[in-house]
Amino acid sequence: MEHKYNRWIMGTAVGVAAIAAAVDHTRHSLPTPQANDIVVIEDDSDDSPCSLDTSPCSLD
Amino acid sequence: MSIAVVATDMLALLEAFSKKKSNAVLDVLAGETPKQDEKFPEGELHFPGTGWRGFYHCHDGPGKDSREHGHFHLFVEVTDDQTMEPAWSHLAGLSIDYAGQPIEWFTVNNWVTGGKWLPADELRHFMDNITRNSAQSLSEQWLLCMLSLYTDSLAQLLIERDRVLIQINADSTLADSLLNKDIYMLSHQPVDLEQKLVSVMEDTVNHEESTL
């Protein structure tokens, strides 16, 4: 199976140009982020701005 | 799973996104316009069948790439060795430009992401057996492919993270450094997905030719 995959990726159908096209076809403009209306009161004590919201065992 | 297989799977994912006129970010935004600091998707990324979690958001920050629209944060489930409870450890962030393309891996200090801090050599092992399946969304599979394609780069990124943290705060304990809000970005590494896929293809061809 892996050999088959290798053959597929190196085959003439998938060359450098095909890879470039595959990536290029996923270039789509993203919507510009908007300012958040919610006022956040800064708390320097234990604020982690990029943390996960939930603990691993909690129910959503 | 060889990196050639991962690259092939990535091409299939790109084709799937192309058919939907989408990409990993548009997939998680699901038609919404993001607000600063708002996390996407709602409920975060769960990567079914794995111990990974993540989300996408947009905000300013020190050291941010000027081309960046927003970034994914990727966390892995670990065990807290003090409480023996499950916990999350931040592996890396992935910056995305305004065209939805990955431009940079980065790491940040522990106070930014919270969670359990693990040294580079321990985090490295979580990238050894990344599994993808059809229960995962396209964007989840795309992110797991990115992790697999860039495992070696990420290992170096994490080593650099640890080195920088020690270097810039040599007089403090690690615990103090991790909470030092003067320290934000720790390491970063450019990403060129197209070049990576071409590189994997060329390496595969060279390997196959050398074994003929």
Side-chain angles (χ1 to χ4, degrees):
Chain A
M1 175 65 95
E2 191 161 303
H3 185 66
K4 182 181 171 185
Y5 273 114
N6 291 348
R7 300 279 304 181
W8 191 84
I9 195 171
M10 70 184 239
T12 53
V14 182
V16 173
I19 289 173
V23 171
D24 202 44
H25 289 163
T26 64
R27 292 186 200 282
H28 303 289
S29 293
L30 305 181
T32 302
Q34 305 295 306
N36 200 328
D37 298 332
I38 300 170
V39 177
V40 177
I41 299 171
E42 295 277 346
D43 176 3
D44 284 344
S45 59
D46 58 356
D47 183 36
S48 296
C50 300
S51 64
L52 283 170
D53 284 336
T54 55
S55 60
C57 291
S58 68
L59 293 170
D60 289 330
Chain B
M1 183 180 294
S2 78
I3 195 164
V5 175
V6 178
T8 306
D9 289 350
M10 175 58 94
L11 285 170
L13 287 167
L14 295 176
E15 186 179 355
F17 279 133
S18 176
K19 285 179 179 173
K20 296 172 62 181
K21 294 183 169 37
S22 187
N23 53 48
V25 176
L26 288 174
D27 191 47
V28 299
L29 293 179
E32 290 192 49
T33 297
K35 291 182 177 176
Q36 291 277 327
D37 292 319
E38 190 179 12
K39 293 174 183 171
F40 291 89
E42 188 177 344
E44 303 175 341
L45 296 163
H46 284 243
F47 304 93
T50 73
W52 294 89
R53 284 281 283 272
F55 59 83
Y56 183 82
H57 68 173
C58 313
H59 64 85
D60 293 327
K64 176 186 172 182
D65 190 307
S66 60
R67 301 166 297 164
E68 184 191 286
H69 172 273
H71 50 263
F72 288 97
H73 281 285
L74 294 171
F75 297 77
V76 66
E77 186 174 1
V78 299
T79 301
D80 189 312
D81 51 10
Q82 293 180 336
T83 65
M84 299 312 288
E85 294 287 326
W88 296 99
S89 186
H90 185 254
L91 184 105
L94 180 61
S95 292
I96 306 290
D97 69 12
Y98 275 77
Q101 302 304 308
I103 52 176
E104 183 178 84
W105 288 108
F106 65 88
T107 62
V108 289
N109 201 4
N110 191 222
W111 70 265
V112 180
T113 58
K116 173 78 174 167
W117 182 267
L118 288 180
D121 59 339
E122 288 187 42
L123 274 174
R124 167 72 176 79
H125 296 302
F126 290 99
M127 294 184 284
D128 288 342
N129 294 300
I130 294 173
T131 55
R132 283 171 278 114
N133 58 62
S134 58
Q136 298 157 355
S137 67
L138 283 182
S139 49
E140 287 171 331
Q141 292 180 59
W142 182 86
L143 283 163
L144 293 178
C145 266
M146 287 296 292
L147 285 174
S148 294
L149 282 172
Y150 286 92
T151 295
D152 292 342
S153 299
L154 286 164
Q156 290 303 312
L157 182 84
L158 292 165
I159 290 170
E160 178 69 2
R161 177 200 70 169
D162 291 1
R163 188 191 68 77
V164 169
L165 190 61
I166 292 170
Q167 184 183 44
I168 62 179
N169 220 18
D171 295 333
S172 297
T173 64
L174 176 63
D176 287 341
S177 296
L178 296 177
L179 296 174
N180 185 341
K181 295 197 174 183
D182 292 329
I183 306 171
Y184 192 99
M185 188 78 74
L186 288 170
S187 60
H188 54 95
Q189 200 164 85
V191 169
D192 184 334
L193 179 57
E194 180 182 326
Q195 185 53 47
K196 168 61 80 174
L197 293 172
V198 169
S199 171
V200 172
M201 182 191 71
E202 289 176 346
D203 288 349
T204 304
V205 170
N206 291 337
H207 176 71
E208 295 238 344
E209 284 179 350
S210 69
T211 57
L212 285 177

